[in-house]
Amino acid sequence: MLHYPILYKCKTDCCGCTSCYSICPRKAISMVEDEEGFEYPQIDESKCVCCYKCINVCPIKEH
Ligand code: SF4
Ligand code: SF4
């Protein structure tokens, strides 16, 4: 079974670089502002095909 990717668990796992947003072939990721005005990626699971390109491109994830 496919699992949807988790781009960040806490905000220190994401610097808001938008690479995941840019690479997603399904345009399933949008950048959403938090209460302090920083943008974090949010996945629309209805569009996501679990290709994991977003996880692989992320500079912060350990591979
Ligand atoms: S797994 Fe693929 S389709 Fe899903 S959000 Fe990431 S890049 Fe987009
Ligand atoms: S690629 Fe990683 S660090 Fe960049 S916005 Fe996406 S989750 Fe955050």
Side-chain angles (χ1 to χ4, degrees):
M1 195 189 134
L2 290 174
H3 294 279
Y4 295 113
I6 295 169
L7 286 170
Y8 65 97
K9 288 201 185 82
C10 55
K11 289 180 175 176
T12 53
D13 294 340
C14 174
C15 65
C17 73
T18 73
S19 295
C20 54
Y21 163 82
S22 300
I23 208 168
C24 177
R26 301 283 300 168
K27 298 198 185 332
I29 299 177
S30 42
M31 299 300 292
V32 179
E33 254 185 39
D34 71 3
E35 61 282 356
E36 293 173 323
F38 294 106
E39 293 192 329
Y40 289 90
Q42 198 170 79
I43 296 175
D44 178 346
E45 293 182 351
S46 69
K47 294 182 184 165
C48 177
V49 291
C50 298
C51 68
Y52 277 73
K53 286 187 179 173
C54 53
I55 296 290
N56 290 327
V57 79
C58 180
I60 294 190
K61 307 289 174 287
E62 288 176 22
H63 296 297

